[in-house]
């Protein structure tokens, strides 16, 4: 009888521990832009400040961004999307994007495609470092002349 109770308790403890680990995603949390480590372009200069808050949910995430662009104008972006590659509403994007689609190839990586009226405006490949302290987002898009360009935002975990 004691053996059965001991096994049941061990099973419950293992189940609770696995649920706790499953719930903590490397993407989850608050990330602050490291301006010194980020690289912009003429059309996409590094913002003065940005704070990204990510809340992962079953099969997706909510992203909120607040800060100031390079000229001091306010930035406020919000979206909630599943990791299924389908389009979901987005508000506040600098490129004027009104939808995003998101994929998560692995727990440390997300790939976001920003679209305006169905047309791709930028893609973002974001990777959280193995130690979980840094998040690097590599953006690909076009400049005002239609030429391809890439810019990088580096964030520190708060």
């Amino acid at each position: 009888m004691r053996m059965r109770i001991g096994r049941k308790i061990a099973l419950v403890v293992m189940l609770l521990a696995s649920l706790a680990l499953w719930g903590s995603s490397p993407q989850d949390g608050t990330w602050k832009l490291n301006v010194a480590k980020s690289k912009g372009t003429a059309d996409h200069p590094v913002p003065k400040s940005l704070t990204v808050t990510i809340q992962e949910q079953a099969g997706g995430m909510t992203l909120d961004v607040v800060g100031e662009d390079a000229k001091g104008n306010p930035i406020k972006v919000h979206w909630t999307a599943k990791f299924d590659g389908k389009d979901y509403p987005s508000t506040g994007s600098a490129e004027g994007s009104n939808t995003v689609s998101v994929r998560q190839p692995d727990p440390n990586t997300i790939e976001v495609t920003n679209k305006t009226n169905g047309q791709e405006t930028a893609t973002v490949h974001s990777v959280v470092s193995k130690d979980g302290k840094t998040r690097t987002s590599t953006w690909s898009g076009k400049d005002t002349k239609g030429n391809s360009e890439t810019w990088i935002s580096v964030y520190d975990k708060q």
Side-chain angles (χ1 to χ4, degrees):
M1 180 82 162
R2 286 186 192 164
M3 185 76 115
R4 286 186 190 179
I5 292 172
R7 285 184 185 168
K8 288 181 181 177
I9 290 172
L11 181 61
V12 169
V13 168
M14 288 179 6
L15 178 63
L16 291 174
S18 67
L19 287 174
L21 291 173
W22 177 77
S24 65
S25 164
Q27 299 287 338
D28 234 10
T30 301
W31 301 89
K32 187 172 182 176
L33 181 69
N34 185 323
V35 175
K37 291 183 179 178
S38 299
K39 294 187 333 185
T41 66
D43 285 345
H44 298 96
V46 175
K48 287 184 178 182
S49 68
L50 275 185
T51 300
V52 176
T53 303
I54 296 173
Q55 293 179 327
E56 284 214 29
Q57 303 159 355
M61 65 189 288
T62 295
L63 178 132
D64 286 292
V65 179
V66 294
E68 287 183 77
D69 69 13
K71 295 179 182 177
N73 298 313
I75 296 172
K76 188 171 182 175
V77 177
H78 172 81
W79 52 259
T80 298
K82 298 271 185 198
F83 299 133
D84 58 10
K86 295 180 182 177
D87 290 349
Y88 292 90
S90 172
T91 59
S93 170
E95 299 91 30
S97 302
N98 54 17
T99 63
V100 296
S101 64
V102 184
R103 295 198 183 276
Q104 186 177 38
D106 63 67
N108 287 46
T109 307
I110 60 168
E111 296 170 346
V112 178
T113 302
N114 294 311
K115 297 178 184 176
T116 302
N117 301 324
Q119 296 296 314
E120 187 177 304
T121 55
T123 59
V124 189
H125 181 84
S126 299
V127 179
V128 175
S129 61
K130 289 183 182 185
D131 67 7
K133 295 179 181 180
T134 305
R135 184 172 190 269
T136 304
S137 296
T138 303
W139 295 71
S140 299
K142 305 263 183 201
D143 65 14
T144 54
K145 296 177 183 174
N147 299 312
S148 295
E149 64 178 4
T150 300
W151 57 104
I152 298 171
S153 302
V154 178
Y155 301 89
D156 298 317
K157 182 81 173 216
Q158 299 302 292

PDB file of all heavy atoms in Angstrom, residues 67-97:
ATOM      1  N   GLY A  67       7.533  52.292 -27.014  1.00  0.00           N
ATOM      2  CA  GLY A  67       8.809  52.986 -27.038  1.00  0.00           C
ATOM      3  C   GLY A  67       8.740  54.246 -27.867  1.00  0.00           C
ATOM      4  O   GLY A  67       7.658  54.789 -28.128  1.00  0.00           O
ATOM      5  N   GLU A  68       9.935  54.690 -28.297  1.00  0.00           N
ATOM      6  CA  GLU A  68      10.063  55.879 -29.134  1.00  0.00           C
ATOM      7  C   GLU A  68      10.928  55.554 -30.337  1.00  0.00           C
ATOM      8  O   GLU A  68      11.977  54.919 -30.192  1.00  0.00           O
ATOM      9  CB  GLU A  68      10.758  57.010 -28.371  1.00  0.00           C
ATOM     10  CG  GLU A  68       9.942  57.669 -27.309  1.00  0.00           C
ATOM     11  CD  GLU A  68      10.723  58.818 -26.690  1.00  0.00           C
ATOM     12  OE1 GLU A  68      10.809  59.892 -27.336  1.00  0.00           O
ATOM     13  OE2 GLU A  68      11.238  58.633 -25.584  1.00  0.00           O
ATOM     14  N   ASP A  69      10.506  56.042 -31.520  1.00  0.00           N
ATOM     15  CA  ASP A  69      11.327  55.837 -32.698  1.00  0.00           C
ATOM     16  C   ASP A  69      12.531  56.775 -32.650  1.00  0.00           C
ATOM     17  O   ASP A  69      12.703  57.541 -31.691  1.00  0.00           O
ATOM     18  CB  ASP A  69      10.507  55.975 -33.988  1.00  0.00           C
ATOM     19  CG  ASP A  69      10.026  57.388 -34.282  1.00  0.00           C
ATOM     20  OD1 ASP A  69      10.497  58.362 -33.648  1.00  0.00           O
ATOM     21  OD2 ASP A  69       9.164  57.531 -35.170  1.00  0.00           O
ATOM     22  N   ALA A  70      13.368  56.755 -33.673  1.00  0.00           N
ATOM     23  CA  ALA A  70      14.599  57.545 -33.701  1.00  0.00           C
ATOM     24  C   ALA A  70      14.324  59.048 -33.620  1.00  0.00           C
ATOM     25  O   ALA A  70      15.173  59.816 -33.171  1.00  0.00           O
ATOM     26  CB  ALA A  70      15.397  57.211 -34.958  1.00  0.00           C
ATOM     27  N   LYS A  71      13.129  59.485 -34.044  1.00  0.00           N
ATOM     28  CA  LYS A  71      12.772  60.912 -34.006  1.00  0.00           C
ATOM     29  C   LYS A  71      12.026  61.291 -32.729  1.00  0.00           C
ATOM     30  O   LYS A  71      11.650  62.445 -32.561  1.00  0.00           O
ATOM     31  CB  LYS A  71      11.915  61.256 -35.221  1.00  0.00           C
ATOM     32  CG  LYS A  71      12.655  61.110 -36.541  1.00  0.00           C
ATOM     33  CD  LYS A  71      11.755  61.447 -37.704  1.00  0.00           C
ATOM     34  CE  LYS A  71      12.503  61.257 -39.011  1.00  0.00           C
ATOM     35  NZ  LYS A  71      11.631  61.520 -40.171  1.00  0.00           N
ATOM     36  N   GLY A  72      11.781  60.313 -31.856  1.00  0.00           N
ATOM     37  CA  GLY A  72      11.083  60.589 -30.611  1.00  0.00           C
ATOM     38  C   GLY A  72       9.578  60.397 -30.678  1.00  0.00           C
ATOM     39  O   GLY A  72       8.872  60.681 -29.711  1.00  0.00           O
ATOM     40  N   ASN A  73       9.077  59.901 -31.803  1.00  0.00           N
ATOM     41  CA  ASN A  73       7.645  59.640 -31.934  1.00  0.00           C
ATOM     42  C   ASN A  73       7.286  58.348 -31.200  1.00  0.00           C
ATOM     43  O   ASN A  73       8.078  57.401 -31.181  1.00  0.00           O
ATOM     44  CB  ASN A  73       7.248  59.502 -33.411  1.00  0.00           C
ATOM     45  CG  ASN A  73       7.510  60.773 -34.176  1.00  0.00           C
ATOM     46  OD1 ASN A  73       7.166  61.855 -33.725  1.00  0.00           O
ATOM     47  ND2 ASN A  73       8.141  60.644 -35.332  1.00  0.00           N
ATOM     48  N   PRO A  74       6.086  58.292 -30.611  1.00  0.00           N
ATOM     49  CA  PRO A  74       5.712  57.085 -29.863  1.00  0.00           C
ATOM     50  C   PRO A  74       5.510  55.869 -30.768  1.00  0.00           C
ATOM     51  O   PRO A  74       5.053  55.994 -31.903  1.00  0.00           O
ATOM     52  CB  PRO A  74       4.400  57.473 -29.184  1.00  0.00           C
ATOM     53  CG  PRO A  74       3.866  58.612 -29.973  1.00  0.00           C
ATOM     54  CD  PRO A  74       5.040  59.306 -30.581  1.00  0.00           C
ATOM     55  N   ILE A  75       5.877  54.716 -30.238  1.00  0.00           N
ATOM     56  CA  ILE A  75       5.658  53.430 -30.907  1.00  0.00           C
ATOM     57  C   ILE A  75       4.771  52.602 -29.988  1.00  0.00           C
ATOM     58  O   ILE A  75       5.025  52.520 -28.788  1.00  0.00           O
ATOM     59  CB  ILE A  75       6.988  52.679 -31.129  1.00  0.00           C
ATOM     60  CG1 ILE A  75       7.898  53.458 -32.074  1.00  0.00           C
ATOM     61  CG2 ILE A  75       6.727  51.269 -31.657  1.00  0.00           C
ATOM     62  CD1 ILE A  75       9.303  52.869 -32.180  1.00  0.00           C
ATOM     63  N   LYS A  76       3.743  52.009 -30.574  1.00  0.00           N
ATOM     64  CA  LYS A  76       2.877  51.112 -29.804  1.00  0.00           C
ATOM     65  C   LYS A  76       2.319  50.066 -30.773  1.00  0.00           C
ATOM     66  O   LYS A  76       1.468  50.361 -31.600  1.00  0.00           O
ATOM     67  CB  LYS A  76       1.743  51.874 -29.136  1.00  0.00           C
ATOM     68  CG  LYS A  76       0.946  51.007 -28.187  1.00  0.00           C
ATOM     69  CD  LYS A  76      -0.032  51.806 -27.362  1.00  0.00           C
ATOM     70  CE  LYS A  76      -0.742  50.863 -26.415  1.00  0.00           C
ATOM     71  NZ  LYS A  76      -1.612  51.569 -25.505  1.00  0.00           N
ATOM     72  N   VAL A  77       2.827  48.854 -30.671  1.00  0.00           N
ATOM     73  CA  VAL A  77       2.438  47.753 -31.548  1.00  0.00           C
ATOM     74  C   VAL A  77       1.777  46.672 -30.699  1.00  0.00           C
ATOM     75  O   VAL A  77       2.205  46.414 -29.572  1.00  0.00           O
ATOM     76  CB  VAL A  77       3.672  47.158 -32.279  1.00  0.00           C
ATOM     77  CG1 VAL A  77       3.285  45.962 -33.124  1.00  0.00           C
ATOM     78  CG2 VAL A  77       4.368  48.221 -33.113  1.00  0.00           C
ATOM     79  N   HIS A  78       0.752  46.047 -31.256  1.00  0.00           N
ATOM     80  CA  HIS A  78       0.077  44.953 -30.550  1.00  0.00           C
ATOM     81  C   HIS A  78      -0.431  43.929 -31.554  1.00  0.00           C
ATOM     82  O   HIS A  78      -0.975  44.292 -32.596  1.00  0.00           O
ATOM     83  CB  HIS A  78      -1.111  45.473 -29.739  1.00  0.00           C
ATOM     84  CG  HIS A  78      -1.949  44.354 -29.166  1.00  0.00           C
ATOM     85  ND1 HIS A  78      -1.606  43.676 -28.025  1.00  0.00           N
ATOM     86  CD2 HIS A  78      -3.087  43.779 -29.623  1.00  0.00           C
ATOM     87  CE1 HIS A  78      -2.506  42.745 -27.795  1.00  0.00           C
ATOM     88  NE2 HIS A  78      -3.411  42.773 -28.739  1.00  0.00           N
ATOM     89  N   TRP A  79      -0.241  42.648 -31.214  1.00  0.00           N
ATOM     90  CA  TRP A  79      -0.888  41.557 -31.951  1.00  0.00           C
ATOM     91  C   TRP A  79      -0.909  40.293 -31.112  1.00  0.00           C
ATOM     92  O   TRP A  79      -0.114  40.115 -30.209  1.00  0.00           O
ATOM     93  CB  TRP A  79      -0.269  41.302 -33.322  1.00  0.00           C
ATOM     94  CG  TRP A  79       1.213  41.109 -33.419  1.00  0.00           C
ATOM     95  CD1 TRP A  79       2.130  42.030 -33.816  1.00  0.00           C
ATOM     96  CD2 TRP A  79       1.960  39.904 -33.178  1.00  0.00           C
ATOM     97  NE1 TRP A  79       3.395  41.478 -33.819  1.00  0.00           N
ATOM     98  CE2 TRP A  79       3.312  40.183 -33.433  1.00  0.00           C
ATOM     99  CE3 TRP A  79       1.612  38.620 -32.761  1.00  0.00           C
ATOM    100  CZ2 TRP A  79       4.314  39.232 -33.301  1.00  0.00           C
ATOM    101  CZ3 TRP A  79       2.604  37.667 -32.613  1.00  0.00           C
ATOM    102  CH2 TRP A  79       3.941  37.976 -32.888  1.00  0.00           C
ATOM    103  N   THR A  80      -1.856  39.439 -31.442  1.00  0.00           N
ATOM    104  CA  THR A  80      -1.965  38.100 -30.875  1.00  0.00           C
ATOM    105  C   THR A  80      -2.098  37.148 -32.053  1.00  0.00           C
ATOM    106  O   THR A  80      -2.916  37.379 -32.941  1.00  0.00           O
ATOM    107  CB  THR A  80      -3.196  37.979 -29.951  1.00  0.00           C
ATOM    108  OG1 THR A  80      -3.028  38.888 -28.861  1.00  0.00           O
ATOM    109  CG2 THR A  80      -3.335  36.568 -29.405  1.00  0.00           C
ATOM    110  N   ALA A  81      -1.263  36.105 -32.084  1.00  0.00           N
ATOM    111  CA  ALA A  81      -1.284  35.175 -33.216  1.00  0.00           C
ATOM    112  C   ALA A  81      -0.939  33.768 -32.759  1.00  0.00           C
ATOM    113  O   ALA A  81      -0.238  33.571 -31.765  1.00  0.00           O
ATOM    114  CB  ALA A  81      -0.281  35.623 -34.282  1.00  0.00           C
ATOM    115  N   LYS A  82      -1.416  32.802 -33.508  1.00  0.00           N
ATOM    116  CA  LYS A  82      -1.052  31.393 -33.321  1.00  0.00           C
ATOM    117  C   LYS A  82       0.202  31.134 -34.153  1.00  0.00           C
ATOM    118  O   LYS A  82       0.510  31.862 -35.098  1.00  0.00           O
ATOM    119  CB  LYS A  82      -2.187  30.469 -33.795  1.00  0.00           C
ATOM    120  CG  LYS A  82      -3.477  30.634 -33.029  1.00  0.00           C
ATOM    121  CD  LYS A  82      -3.481  29.741 -31.844  1.00  0.00           C
ATOM    122  CE  LYS A  82      -4.834  29.822 -31.152  1.00  0.00           C
ATOM    123  NZ  LYS A  82      -4.750  29.326 -29.797  1.00  0.00           N
ATOM    124  N   PHE A  83       0.913  30.052 -33.831  1.00  0.00           N
ATOM    125  CA  PHE A  83       2.120  29.668 -34.568  1.00  0.00           C
ATOM    126  C   PHE A  83       1.768  28.823 -35.787  1.00  0.00           C
ATOM    127  O   PHE A  83       2.426  27.834 -36.081  1.00  0.00           O
ATOM    128  CB  PHE A  83       3.071  28.878 -33.672  1.00  0.00           C
ATOM    129  CG  PHE A  83       3.558  29.635 -32.463  1.00  0.00           C
ATOM    130  CD1 PHE A  83       3.538  29.040 -31.223  1.00  0.00           C
ATOM    131  CD2 PHE A  83       4.059  30.919 -32.569  1.00  0.00           C
ATOM    132  CE1 PHE A  83       4.005  29.704 -30.100  1.00  0.00           C
ATOM    133  CE2 PHE A  83       4.517  31.602 -31.458  1.00  0.00           C
ATOM    134  CZ  PHE A  83       4.488  30.995 -30.226  1.00  0.00           C
ATOM    135  N   ASP A  84       0.737  29.198 -36.514  1.00  0.00           N
ATOM    136  CA  ASP A  84       0.252  28.377 -37.623  1.00  0.00           C
ATOM    137  C   ASP A  84       0.485  28.986 -39.003  1.00  0.00           C
ATOM    138  O   ASP A  84       0.071  28.427 -40.012  1.00  0.00           O
ATOM    139  CB  ASP A  84      -1.238  28.076 -37.436  1.00  0.00           C
ATOM    140  CG  ASP A  84      -2.096  29.327 -37.332  1.00  0.00           C
ATOM    141  OD1 ASP A  84      -1.598  30.446 -37.583  1.00  0.00           O
ATOM    142  OD2 ASP A  84      -3.291  29.177 -36.992  1.00  0.00           O
ATOM    143  N   GLY A  85       1.147  30.144 -39.073  1.00  0.00           N
ATOM    144  CA  GLY A  85       1.424  30.775 -40.361  1.00  0.00           C
ATOM    145  C   GLY A  85       0.238  31.489 -40.984  1.00  0.00           C
ATOM    146  O   GLY A  85       0.357  32.025 -42.079  1.00  0.00           O
ATOM    147  N   LYS A  86      -0.905  31.533 -40.294  1.00  0.00           N
ATOM    148  CA  LYS A  86      -2.077  32.252 -40.805  1.00  0.00           C
ATOM    149  C   LYS A  86      -1.982  33.718 -40.411  1.00  0.00           C
ATOM    150  O   LYS A  86      -1.278  34.080 -39.472  1.00  0.00           O
ATOM    151  CB  LYS A  86      -3.363  31.648 -40.235  1.00  0.00           C
ATOM    152  CG  LYS A  86      -3.604  30.229 -40.693  1.00  0.00           C
ATOM    153  CD  LYS A  86      -4.884  29.683 -40.102  1.00  0.00           C
ATOM    154  CE  LYS A  86      -5.095  28.230 -40.536  1.00  0.00           C
ATOM    155  NZ  LYS A  86      -6.284  27.647 -39.921  1.00  0.00           N
ATOM    156  N   ASP A  87      -2.696  34.581 -41.150  1.00  0.00           N
ATOM    157  CA  ASP A  87      -2.680  36.018 -40.874  1.00  0.00           C
ATOM    158  C   ASP A  87      -3.583  36.374 -39.698  1.00  0.00           C
ATOM    159  O   ASP A  87      -4.711  35.884 -39.600  1.00  0.00           O
ATOM    160  CB  ASP A  87      -3.133  36.807 -42.103  1.00  0.00           C
ATOM    161  CG  ASP A  87      -2.123  36.756 -43.235  1.00  0.00           C
ATOM    162  OD1 ASP A  87      -0.988  36.294 -43.005  1.00  0.00           O
ATOM    163  OD2 ASP A  87      -2.462  37.206 -44.341  1.00  0.00           O
ATOM    164  N   TYR A  88      -3.050  37.238 -38.800  1.00  0.00           N
ATOM    165  CA  TYR A  88      -3.786  37.739 -37.643  1.00  0.00           C
ATOM    166  C   TYR A  88      -3.648  39.257 -37.605  1.00  0.00           C
ATOM    167  O   TYR A  88      -2.620  39.801 -38.031  1.00  0.00           O
ATOM    168  CB  TYR A  88      -3.238  37.132 -36.350  1.00  0.00           C
ATOM    169  CG  TYR A  88      -3.519  35.652 -36.240  1.00  0.00           C
ATOM    170  CD1 TYR A  88      -2.620  34.714 -36.743  1.00  0.00           C
ATOM    171  CD2 TYR A  88      -4.702  35.192 -35.677  1.00  0.00           C
ATOM    172  CE1 TYR A  88      -2.885  33.352 -36.666  1.00  0.00           C
ATOM    173  CE2 TYR A  88      -4.976  33.823 -35.595  1.00  0.00           C
ATOM    174  CZ  TYR A  88      -4.063  32.921 -36.091  1.00  0.00           C
ATOM    175  OH  TYR A  88      -4.328  31.578 -36.018  1.00  0.00           O
ATOM    176  N   PRO A  89      -4.656  39.974 -37.082  1.00  0.00           N
ATOM    177  CA  PRO A  89      -4.608  41.445 -37.041  1.00  0.00           C
ATOM    178  C   PRO A  89      -3.437  41.972 -36.213  1.00  0.00           C
ATOM    179  O   PRO A  89      -3.068  41.396 -35.189  1.00  0.00           O
ATOM    180  CB  PRO A  89      -5.928  41.835 -36.376  1.00  0.00           C
ATOM    181  CG  PRO A  89      -6.795  40.632 -36.434  1.00  0.00           C
ATOM    182  CD  PRO A  89      -5.898  39.442 -36.528  1.00  0.00           C
ATOM    183  N   SER A  90      -2.879  43.090 -36.676  1.00  0.00           N
ATOM    184  CA  SER A  90      -1.783  43.770 -35.998  1.00  0.00           C
ATOM    185  C   SER A  90      -2.059  45.265 -36.025  1.00  0.00           C
ATOM    186  O   SER A  90      -2.581  45.776 -37.022  1.00  0.00           O
ATOM    187  CB  SER A  90      -0.467  43.472 -36.716  1.00  0.00           C
ATOM    188  OG  SER A  90       0.588  44.252 -36.210  1.00  0.00           O
ATOM    189  N   THR A  91      -1.703  45.963 -34.963  1.00  0.00           N
ATOM    190  CA  THR A  91      -1.871  47.417 -34.940  1.00  0.00           C
ATOM    191  C   THR A  91      -0.558  48.086 -34.569  1.00  0.00           C
ATOM    192  O   THR A  91       0.250  47.537 -33.825  1.00  0.00           O
ATOM    193  CB  THR A  91      -2.951  47.846 -33.913  1.00  0.00           C
ATOM    194  OG1 THR A  91      -2.559  47.394 -32.610  1.00  0.00           O
ATOM    195  CG2 THR A  91      -4.308  47.283 -34.262  1.00  0.00           C
ATOM    196  N   GLY A  92      -0.334  49.289 -35.110  1.00  0.00           N
ATOM    197  CA  GLY A  92       0.770  50.146 -34.722  1.00  0.00           C
ATOM    198  C   GLY A  92       2.091  49.957 -35.434  1.00  0.00           C
ATOM    199  O   GLY A  92       3.068  50.620 -35.100  1.00  0.00           O
ATOM    200  N   SER A  93       2.180  49.114 -36.430  1.00  0.00           N
ATOM    201  CA  SER A  93       3.447  48.842 -37.102  1.00  0.00           C
ATOM    202  C   SER A  93       3.943  50.066 -37.868  1.00  0.00           C
ATOM    203  O   SER A  93       3.175  50.768 -38.524  1.00  0.00           O
ATOM    204  CB  SER A  93       3.281  47.673 -38.072  1.00  0.00           C
ATOM    205  OG  SER A  93       4.417  47.549 -38.883  1.00  0.00           O
ATOM    206  N   ALA A  94       5.259  50.311 -37.797  1.00  0.00           N
ATOM    207  CA  ALA A  94       5.867  51.442 -38.506  1.00  0.00           C
ATOM    208  C   ALA A  94       5.725  51.302 -40.019  1.00  0.00           C
ATOM    209  O   ALA A  94       5.629  52.295 -40.731  1.00  0.00           O
ATOM    210  CB  ALA A  94       7.344  51.558 -38.141  1.00  0.00           C
ATOM    211  N   GLU A  95       5.721  50.057 -40.511  1.00  0.00           N
ATOM    212  CA  GLU A  95       5.588  49.840 -41.959  1.00  0.00           C
ATOM    213  C   GLU A  95       4.136  49.934 -42.412  1.00  0.00           C
ATOM    214  O   GLU A  95       3.841  49.755 -43.586  1.00  0.00           O
ATOM    215  CB  GLU A  95       6.105  48.449 -42.355  1.00  0.00           C
ATOM    216  CG  GLU A  95       7.546  48.175 -42.063  1.00  0.00           C
ATOM    217  CD  GLU A  95       7.734  47.549 -40.697  1.00  0.00           C
ATOM    218  OE1 GLU A  95       6.853  46.829 -40.215  1.00  0.00           O
ATOM    219  OE2 GLU A  95       8.774  47.811 -40.091  1.00  0.00           O
ATOM    220  N   GLY A  96       3.230  50.157 -41.481  1.00  0.00           N
ATOM    221  CA  GLY A  96       1.809  50.200 -41.819  1.00  0.00           C
ATOM    222  C   GLY A  96       1.188  48.827 -41.944  1.00  0.00           C
ATOM    223  O   GLY A  96       0.086  48.668 -42.452  1.00  0.00           O
ATOM    224  N   SER A  97       1.883  47.816 -41.467  1.00  0.00           N
ATOM    225  CA  SER A  97       1.358  46.451 -41.540  1.00  0.00           C
ATOM    226  C   SER A  97       0.080  46.333 -40.722  1.00  0.00           C
ATOM    227  O   SER A  97      -0.034  46.910 -39.655  1.00  0.00           O
ATOM    228  CB  SER A  97       2.382  45.455 -40.989  1.00  0.00           C
ATOM    229  OG  SER A  97       3.588  45.548 -41.697  1.00  0.00           O
TER     230      SER A  97
END
